[in-house]
Amino acid sequence: MLIKRNPNGIDLPFGSEITPRAMFESRRHFIKQLAVGSIAGGALAEMAMREAFAQSGGTQKLAARPNPGFVVMDKPTAFKDATTYNNFYEFGTDKTDPAQNAGSLKPRPWTVAIEGEVKKPMTVDLDGLLKLAPLEERIYRLRCVEGWSMVIPWIGYSLSELIKKVEPTGNAKYVEFITLADKKQMPGLRSPVLEWPYVEGLRLDEANHPLTLLTLGMYGEVLPNQNGAPVRIVVPWKYGFKSAKSLVKIRFTKDQPRTAWNISAPQEYGFFSNVNPEVDHPRWSQATERRIGEDGFFSRKRKTLMFNGYSDVASLYTGMDLKKFF
Amino acid sequence: MFNPNAKQINLFKLVLFIAALGPLARLVLFGFADKLGANPIEFITRNTGDWTLYFLCLTLSVTPLRRISGWNWLIKLRRMLGLFAFFYATLHFTTFLWFDHFFDIDEMLKDVVKRPFITVGFTAFVLLIPLAVTSTNAMVRRLGGKRWQLLHRLVYVIASLGILHFWWMKAGKNDFAEPILFGTIVAVLLLSRVYWSVLKPKMQKRQTSPAPT
C-alpha cells in the first residue's frame, strides 16, 4: 500500500528471527501446495519451485551465532526488498535486474585465490571458507551512493581472520578484491558499462578493521546469487559499491588498486568512498537517504550519518582531508 | 485521402485523452497493489519522466507525420499531446519537490544549482510553462500567429534539454542505450523541420526557376 508498506514488519533484533522471513516461508509453502494440487501439477510445481528459489536464492540455511557487538537497532529491511532491489551490474544495470538474471550464476563449486604480498598464498574452496572461522550474524546498515539505504543481517566473520591466515608481508599496503567475470554466467558483461572484472579495494588497515566482514550469508541462509553469492565483502561505513560481490581473488598489493568505479568516473567515485554527508556527489546529495521499505511514502528522508554511523572507524583517517580523499 | 469530419475528430480526441491518462492510472493501480517495487518514489519519478519524453516525441512527430501523409487534421491533436507532456512533466517535478525534498525549497534550489542534470531538467520544465499557458485559442489570437509560433519554437530547446537531462542522469550508470535512442528520435524530428523549412523550399525554387537558355 501507498502509505504503510510493511504492515507485518515487527521490530526484532536478530535477522534470522525477522518476521517477513517467516511470511515468505509460508507464502512459498502456499504456492507449492497450490501448484501440486492443480491439474498441470508437474510443470506448475516446478515453476513454483523456481519462483520460490528466485525469491530466496535458495533456501539453504546457514547457522550463525548473533554477535551483539555488531548489531544496529534499526529495523531490518524486508528480505524481499533486499533481494529484489540492488545493484550488481554483471546481471544488468537496473536494480531489478540482478534478481531476475542471477539464476545463471553457479555458486558451487567455487574457489577463491588469495595471493600477492603474502607469506602463505592459498586457494580455498567454499567449505574451507565456511570453516575458517566461526560464523557470526551481524546487522549492518547499508548506504548506497545513490541515496538509499537498507539494514541487513549478514552472516560471516571479520576479514581479518582470513588475513591472519595468509600472513601479509611488510610490502602489503592494500587489498584488492577481484570478482567473477564469466560471460556464460553473467549476461551483464556484454555491455561495456564498466571495466570487467569488477575490482574493488581497501587499505590494509581498513581491511583489517573488525567491521569489515567476509560475508557468506544473509537473513539466516547462504547468500542469494543476486546479492553476491557465494562470498562477498561488506564494508558498512563505505558506500555499497565498495563491497565487492562474488569474489574469485583477493590480492595483497603494494600499490593502491585501480577500482572499477574509480576507473569509470574518477571525479565521481574516489578510492575511499566513505559515507560522508558533507561530500556531495554530482548526481545525488549525500546529506539524506531513503530507507527502503521503512519510511512511509509521505515521510521525509533521514539524515545520513558520517561513516554511516560507524564512528569507530574515524581513527583510520586521522589527519586526512576526507573532502580531498573522498 | 482520409479526412475525418468534426465529429470524428472529437472522437479521436476523446480516445487520445483517455489513452494518455493510462500511464497515470497504471501508477495509481500499482500503488494500491503494492507493485511499485522497493523504492516507489524512484519508480514514480522515472516513470513520469519517461512519459514526459514520450509525449514530447509524440507532439514533435505531428508535423512530420502531417507532411508525409498529408493528413492535415492531425494538427488538431497536437495541443492535447503537448499538454500531456506538460502534465507528466508536472507530475515528475512534483514527485521531486514533494517526496524527494518535501517542499524544502531551500534544499531543492541547492539541488537545482549544484547538480547539472537537475538544473537542465528544471530549466526544461520552467520553459514548458509559457507554452502550456499560451496553448488556448484566445492566447493564440492575443499573441498573434507569428509571435505565438516563435514562442512555441521553444519546444526545440525543451526537447533538447530533456534529452540532456536524461543523458546526464544515465551517465551515472554509464548506460547510454536509452538516451541515445531518445536523442536519435528527437534529432530526426527536429532535423525533419530543417528539411521542410530550409532545404525543400530551396530545392523547389531551383526547380521552378526558368531553365537557362
Side-chain angles (χ1 to χ4, degrees):
Chain A
M1 282 301 299
L2 277 170
I3 295 162
K4 196 161 178 291
R5 295 198 61 257
N6 196 2
N8 293 312
I10 295 165
D11 272 279
L12 277 174
F14 301 118
S16 50
E17 296 163 11
I18 289 167
T19 311
R21 190 78 220 97
M23 230 171 69
F24 276 96
E25 297 280 4
S26 66
R27 195 184 109 167
R28 206 174 301 146
H29 184 67
F30 173 73
I31 295 170
K32 233 185 280 179
Q33 277 200 325
L34 196 80
V36 170
S38 73
I39 303 164
L44 258 172
E46 200 208 336
M47 260 171 65
M49 294 289 278
R50 232 183 296 141
E51 149 94 350
F53 194 81
Q55 293 278 349
S56 68
T59 51
Q60 231 180 309
K61 294 262 172 279
L62 194 59
R65 177 180 57 87
N67 185 336
F70 296 95
V71 166
V72 293
M73 281 312 174
D74 309 36
K75 191 174 95 175
T77 302
F79 178 79
K80 187 191 173 197
D81 286 345
T83 51
T84 55
Y85 184 87
N86 68 324
N87 288 311
F88 196 167
Y89 277 25
E90 283 83 339
F91 297 105
T93 54
D94 275 350
K95 278 185 279 297
T96 49
D97 286 343
Q100 277 168 26
N101 302 332
S104 49
L105 177 75
K106 287 185 183 55
R108 257 179 199 274
W110 193 277
T111 55
V112 182
I114 299 139
E115 55 182 50
E117 298 289 346
V118 289
K119 287 183 198 125
K120 294 178 176 169
M122 62 177 187
T123 298
V124 57
D125 68 5
L126 209 50
D127 293 314
L129 280 175
L130 284 162
K131 276 182 268 173
L132 194 128
L135 293 177
E136 297 173 8
E137 179 173 75
R138 300 180 180 187
I139 304 180
Y140 281 169
R141 279 185 287 267
L142 178 141
R143 170 63 155 81
C144 177
V145 71
E146 297 168 346
W148 52 267
S149 63
M150 291 186 180
V151 179
I152 296 180
W154 300 108
I155 293 172
Y157 45 82
S158 291
L159 178 64
S160 60
E161 301 282 351
L162 177 77
I163 297 176
K164 261 193 324 215
K165 295 263 188 314
V166 293
E167 297 179 28
T169 69
N171 285 332
K173 296 280 181 295
Y174 293 91
V175 186
E176 186 179 21
F177 304 103
I178 297 150
T179 78
L180 182 72
D182 179 358
K183 278 193 178 131
K184 271 179 266 154
Q185 298 181 62
M186 300 171 141
L189 295 182
R190 275 180 237 132
S191 76
V193 284
L194 287 171
E195 213 171 85
W196 311 114
Y198 189 91
V199 172
E200 257 308 334
L202 295 171
R203 226 168 46 193
L204 186 60
D205 59 342
E206 295 177 319
N208 258 321
H209 192 281
L211 274 169
T212 302
L213 193 72
L214 189 85
T215 307
L216 294 142
M218 64 195 266
Y219 294 85
E221 51 188 64
V222 299
L223 279 175
N225 287 354
Q226 62 268 35
N227 294 83
V231 56
R232 63 174 292 174
I233 296 294
V234 174
V235 194
W237 73 90
K238 292 175 181 282
Y239 293 119
F241 68 88
K242 288 296 288 182
S243 298
K245 302 183 184 90
S246 303
L247 299 180
V248 290
K249 209 177 269 185
I250 301 177
R251 284 179 56 201
F252 291 72
T253 61
K254 270 188 282 197
D255 303 314
Q256 185 175 300
R258 295 176 73 236
T259 62
W261 277 107
N262 188 241
I263 293 168
S264 148
Q267 70 288 358
E268 296 186 18
Y269 307 99
F271 174 77
F272 287 94
S273 293
N274 291 316
V275 174
N276 188 342
E278 271 152 41
V279 176
D280 262 332
H281 183 277
R283 238 169 300 282
W284 306 285
S285 159
Q286 300 302 12
T288 58
E289 67 201 47
R290 184 172 299 287
R291 183 63 56 81
I292 296 299
E294 187 182 332
D295 295 341
F297 199 83
F298 294 97
S299 67
R300 279 163 183 273
K301 294 199 271 192
R302 59 178 68 208
K303 284 215 177 324
T304 288
L305 304 168
M306 185 67 201
F307 299 121
N308 204 17
Y310 297 93
S311 48
D312 288 2
V313 301
S315 59
L316 293 171
Y317 310 104
T318 324
M320 272 176 79
D321 179 358
L322 292 179
K323 287 204 166 109
K324 204 173 144 207
F325 297 98
F326 60 89
Chain B
M1 184 158 327
F2 181 55
N3 202 2
N5 59 33
K7 216 171 146 192
Q8 285 168 316
I9 285 177
N10 278 338
L11 186 69
F12 286 151
K13 279 190 183 169
L14 183 70
V15 171
L16 182 64
F17 185 82
I18 292 166
L21 282 174
L24 175 65
R26 177 172 169 267
L27 278 180
V28 172
L29 281 176
F30 271 28
F32 281 102
D34 200 10
K35 277 172 76 179
L36 292 173
N39 194 344
I41 292 163
E42 182 186 74
F43 187 101
I44 293 168
T45 308
R46 299 214 169 146
N47 195 254
T48 49
D50 284 347
W51 280 102
T52 306
L53 282 176
Y54 299 151
F55 276 104
L56 266 178
C57 289
L58 283 173
T59 314
L60 283 170
S61 60
V62 167
T63 298
L65 270 178
R66 212 178 116 203
R67 301 264 189 186
I68 293 166
S69 66
W71 292 357
N72 284 323
W73 55 272
L74 281 171
I75 195 78
K76 296 192 167 138
L77 304 177
R78 191 171 66 178
R79 168 162 51 195
M80 193 190 288
L81 288 169
L83 282 172
F84 267 108
F86 179 67
F87 175 70
Y88 282 102
T90 308
L91 289 180
H92 184 63
F93 176 71
T94 309
T95 317
F96 166 76
L97 180 61
W98 187 351
F99 302 117
D100 223 45
H101 288 83
F102 254 79
F103 299 107
D104 189 336
I105 304 291
D106 194 46
E107 263 299 305
M108 187 203 87
L109 286 178
K110 261 191 225 161
D111 245 12
V112 168
V113 177
K114 265 204 217 158
R115 271 168 262 292
F117 93 95
I118 294 181
T119 319
V120 166
F122 183 72
T123 311
F125 174 67
V126 170
L127 290 179
L128 268 175
I129 297 171
L131 303 205
V133 170
T134 58
S135 67
T136 61
N137 290 338
M139 279 309 258
V140 181
R141 275 194 300 275
R142 246 177 91 179
L143 282 171
K146 271 262 159 59
R147 269 192 291 168
W148 185 89
Q149 204 181 23
L150 198 65
L151 177 68
H152 280 249
R153 290 219 168 113
L154 269 180
V155 74
Y156 303 149
V157 180
I158 291 163
S160 310
L161 290 176
I163 299 295
L164 187 60
H165 171 65
F166 190 42
W167 186 283
W168 269 344
M169 195 274 279
K170 283 283 186 176
K173 294 237 163 195
N174 243 338
D175 181 5
F176 296 108
E178 282 179 68
I180 286 173
L181 179 67
F182 269 113
T184 311
I185 291 170
V186 168
V188 167
L189 292 174
L190 295 186
L191 286 174
S192 71
R193 287 164 163 76
V194 176
Y195 171 74
W196 273 299
S197 65
V198 183
L199 293 175
K200 201 145 181 235
K202 262 192 198 163
M203 275 158 36
Q204 276 167 348
K205 218 174 170 185
R206 214 175 297 151
Q207 275 170 8
T208 50
S209 58
T213 46

